[in-house]
Amino acid sequence: MEFIWNGIVEALKLILAGDPQVLDAAWRSIWISTTAVALAAVVGIAIGCLLARANFRGRTLLIILFRAGMGIPTVLIGLVGYALLSRQGPLGMLELLYTPVGIVLGEFALALPIIVSLTHAAIANLDPRVHETAVMLGASPWQRLKTYLGEARLAITLALLTAFARCFTELGIAIMIGGNIKFITRTLATATTLETARGNLSRAVAMSLVLLLMAIVMTTVISLLSTPRSQEKRA
Amino acid sequence: MTSIIQVTDLQLIRGNKPICQVPALEIQPHHKFGIVGTNGSGKTTLLRIIAGLEHDFKGTLHCSLPQNQIGFVHQHPYLFKGTVNDNVLYGIRSMATGDRDTLVQQMLESFKIQHLTNRSCQQLSGGEQRRVALARSLIRQPKLLLLDEPFADLDDEGIETTCNILGNLTQTTILISSPTTIHSALAIDGELVLDSIAF
């Protein structure tokens, strides 16, 4: 147990001293996840609303596919991403393999089904009077969409946070598409794996402590947002 | 006078069960019309059909107005998240800012709820919510107003205020309420009594 304790002490020293490798990986993890979730939010919220409010052929199949996509293993996304972005792959000419942008694309694919499915559920489960009231008050289709999003904003915020949490802590995509290149594509999760394999426990613990801290912050925010009391205050 | 609503042999069936049956109904413009009846007699369903919220009915319904000129207030009104001001403003957002703010204030004053302007709708009592919903619908000046139990949850003052406002309206109004309230509070021009449907 002593080496774990020593690892934690060393880790705190690294964090407090502003170790460049820890800070670099932390910053990259944050911006990659944020960018991926922001892009997935734009596309995913639109698709989620469409699936919830429009009737068209194949709608149920799409809903099932997106729901199934919520549990897709990150290594599978990483593998498919690798195959697509590698030199021999159909998107090889973009030269995005082993780049942060490549990881963003992979995490976009991870976040999209989460945001689509949770947005769809949030909008589809709105009180039917929301739609009826908006219609009877002469709302245009655009105004109605804004109303749905406004009424479901808490659930959609939770969807975005859930997607962010999944992207921030994922390993498979960052390793397989990013390649874990120091100061270029290394994230907190890939750095933790590498440092542990190297036997550099203090640095690995430092990386995971930052990951843990972020996870605690996100879980706290999700819990606070999802309590009925906060819903009342925000309403 | 050309009637604003004309109904012939209207019937709505859900799962082999008739939930609304109206053999004939005709309502003239500017009239105040009451619908009374026992629970389950189809009063709310009839109002929803007239509002254009139910489509799978049999028979004929002729309404001379498009849906955007009809105001409908649910039995349990839904107020959007936000303040009373946000809600009352909802249907007149396309108006110029100064005009619409003045209109909202006038409407809230007429319902004696101007002190609630910036209050969150989730903090309102049932009666206050109903008055906000009525104000929100009336501010659009619909030519046909459909009110499902507008006096429920209201205290004596609320009933009096609402009756005064409804009494001064020139637009056609169809409301569901108990016979006692309808006859004592409003001078109505016509009434439809729906019986509970046997099946």
Side-chain angles (χ1 to χ4, degrees), chain A residues 168-198:
Chain A
F168 189 74
T169 54
E170 73 81 26
L171 178 65
I173 297 167
I175 285 259
M176 296 183 80
I177 299 179
N180 198 17
I181 304 167
K182 191 177 175 183
F183 292 126
I184 296 175
T185 58
R186 189 164 294 172
T187 64
L188 282 171
T190 60
T192 304
T193 313
L194 180 76
E195 299 299 350
T196 307
R198 279 179 176 168

Side-chain angles (χ1 to χ4, degrees), chain A residues 148-162:
Chain A
Y148 303 146
L149 294 177
E151 293 304 299
R153 64 176 178 256
L154 175 69
I156 293 171
T157 307
L158 289 172
L160 299 184
L161 282 169
T162 307

Side-chain angles (χ1 to χ4, degrees), chain B residues 39 60 128 155 171:
Chain B
N39 291 341
T60 56
E128 287 169 339
D155 55 18
Q171 54 257 71

